[in-house]
Amino acid sequence: MLKIENLHVSVEDKEILKGLSLEVPAGEVHAIMGPNGAGKSTLAHVATGRDGYEITDGSITLKGEELTEMEPEERAAKGLFLSFQYPLELAGVPTLTFLRTALNAQRKARGEEEISAPDFMKKARAAAETLKMPMDMLKRSLNAGFSGGEKKRMEIFQALILEPDFLILDETDSGLDIDALKVVAEGVDNLRNADRGMLVITHYQRLLDYLAPDKVHVMAQGRIMDSGGPELARALESDGYDRYLEDAA
């Protein structure tokens, strides 16, 4: 589903990713954990096409298609989704209008028919019910005045609406209390299926307790240093990253 090979990325002539390789098959949820400065968010931004990152070597493919020369909106139409660590507020942009426009833009890019307003509202109500979101929240401007937890819930709401093939969740659990974390995790779990892959970037094992990833990767100094099952996340929680930082150095 997602394949990254020998990826080298620089920001302002400083190399951040240093030969990173990673594969996430369809139907699997993989987690990346690592210390601050490991390059986790850089990986998310580069995969989804954010400006300011220079790929000096390597490739990123989604379902066999090379992504590195595509614009962000092309990658989105191909089925790639990023849940932001710090979602933006768009004052004056109604949430439901924004999302129906985004969904129809993607459908048009794929040669599909646009969704009607009644069908969209039916879809929105079902997604809101899954995430225990009041419909009044969806009548506001996108993320404007939302709490941190509401913003993260809105990110998963967008994923439920857009139904991407592959999700990258960049610290979706940060800033969430236990109740909000459970709701968001349940929303993510509803997106799991045999044809969809996910890459979850997190500092904490608590989200992984709910998601039960198929594989956990440890990232340090711009590379994947170790991979294993959920037990690896529990070991990191108690032992930290010191030995990986020493190995990377």
Side-chain angles (χ1 to χ4, degrees), residues 31-34 40 202-205 208 217-219 233 236 241:
I32 287 187
M33 302 181 74
K40 302 185 299 297
T202 182
H203 275 295
Y204 307 107
Q205 199 238 327
L208 306 185
H217 306 278
V218 182
M219 190 171 174
L236 290 170
Y241 299 104

Side-chain angles (χ1 to χ4, degrees), residues 1 62-63 65-67 70-81 106 109-110 164-166:
M1 178 61 78
L62 180 70
K63 297 179 291 184
E65 283 193 83
E66 179 63 53
L67 296 179
M70 291 185 189
E71 293 298 318
E73 61 271 23
E74 292 178 275
R75 302 181 198 205
K78 294 291 183 183
L80 188 61
F81 177 91
Q106 289 194 7
R110 293 193 292 260
D165 291 326
F166 195 92

Side-chain angles (χ1 to χ4, degrees), residues 115-167:
I115 190 169
S116 68
D119 286 344
F120 176 78
M121 287 306 301
K122 184 178 178 181
K123 189 180 183 74
R125 287 191 185 96
E129 188 174 327
T130 295
L131 292 168
K132 300 178 175 63
M133 292 170 63
M135 288 302 292
D136 285 351
M137 186 174 164
L138 303 177
K139 295 173 183 175
R140 295 157 61 182
S141 296
L142 184 69
N143 290 329
F146 285 17
S147 68
E150 286 174 332
K151 287 180 180 179
K152 296 301 177 74
R153 203 172 294 193
M154 180 57 70
E155 293 290 288
I156 305 307
F157 178 81
Q158 292 178 47
L160 288 167
I161 293 293
L162 296 171
E163 297 183 283
D165 291 326
F166 195 92
L167 291 89

Side-chain angles (χ1 to χ4, degrees), residues 95-113:
T95 295
L96 290 176
T97 301
F98 170 82
L99 275 173
R100 187 180 169 212
T101 302
L103 178 59
N104 279 332
Q106 289 194 7
R107 290 170 74 99
K108 184 178 179 182
R110 293 193 292 260
E112 300 168 4
E113 286 189 10

Side-chain angles (χ1 to χ4, degrees), residues 11-227:
V11 178
E12 297 178 350
D13 296 325
K14 180 182 179 182
E15 191 172 45
I16 307 296
L17 301 185
K18 305 171 183 179
L20 185 145
S21 295
L22 178 70
E23 287 187 43
V24 183
E28 292 194 6
V29 174
H30 286 209
I32 287 187
M33 302 181 74
N36 289 328
K40 302 185 299 297
S41 288
T42 294
L43 174 61
H45 294 155
V46 169
T48 49
R50 184 171 177 172
D51 288 338
Y53 297 87
E54 182 187 2
I55 297 175
T56 56
D57 198 4
S59 66
I60 308 170
T61 58
L62 180 70
K63 297 179 291 184
E65 283 193 83
E66 179 63 53
L67 296 179
T68 50
E69 297 301 320
M70 291 185 189
E71 293 298 318
E73 61 271 23
E74 292 178 275
R75 302 181 198 205
K78 294 291 183 183
L80 188 61
F81 177 91
L82 173 64
S83 171
F84 289 98
Q85 184 176 356
Y86 302 109
L88 293 175
E89 295 189 12
L90 298 180
V93 179
T95 295
L96 290 176
T97 301
F98 170 82
L99 275 173
R100 187 180 169 212
T101 302
L103 178 59
N104 279 332
Q106 289 194 7
R107 290 170 74 99
K108 184 178 179 182
R110 293 193 292 260
E112 300 168 4
E113 286 189 10
E114 292 191 356
I115 190 169
S116 68
D119 286 344
F120 176 78
M121 287 306 301
K122 184 178 178 181
K123 189 180 183 74
R125 287 191 185 96
E129 188 174 327
T130 295
L131 292 168
K132 300 178 175 63
M133 292 170 63
M135 288 302 292
D136 285 351
M137 186 174 164
L138 303 177
K139 295 173 183 175
R140 295 157 61 182
S141 296
L142 184 69
N143 290 329
F146 285 17
S147 68
E150 286 174 332
K151 287 180 180 179
K152 296 301 177 74
R153 203 172 294 193
M154 180 57 70
E155 293 290 288
I156 305 307
F157 178 81
Q158 292 178 47
L160 288 167
I161 293 293
L162 296 171
E163 297 183 283
D165 291 326
F166 195 92
L167 291 89
I168 299 175
L169 307 180
D170 188 8
E171 298 197 28
T172 298
D173 53 334
S174 64
L176 296 180
D177 61 29
I178 294 298
D179 290 337
L181 178 68
K182 283 180 69 174
V183 171
V184 166
E186 286 168 7
V188 172
D189 218 36
N190 275 332
L191 286 158
R192 271 180 118 141
N193 66 42
D195 300 317
R196 180 176 288 133
M198 296 189 209
L199 185 63
V200 180
I201 297 169
T202 182
H203 275 295
Y204 307 107
Q205 199 238 327
R206 59 180 193 160
L207 177 63
L208 306 185
D209 284 339
Y210 294 108
L211 292 185
D214 298 282
K215 195 172 260 189
V216 175
H217 306 278
V218 182
M219 190 171 174
Q221 301 280 326
R223 294 189 295 275
I224 300 296
M225 301 297 296
D226 198 3
S227 298

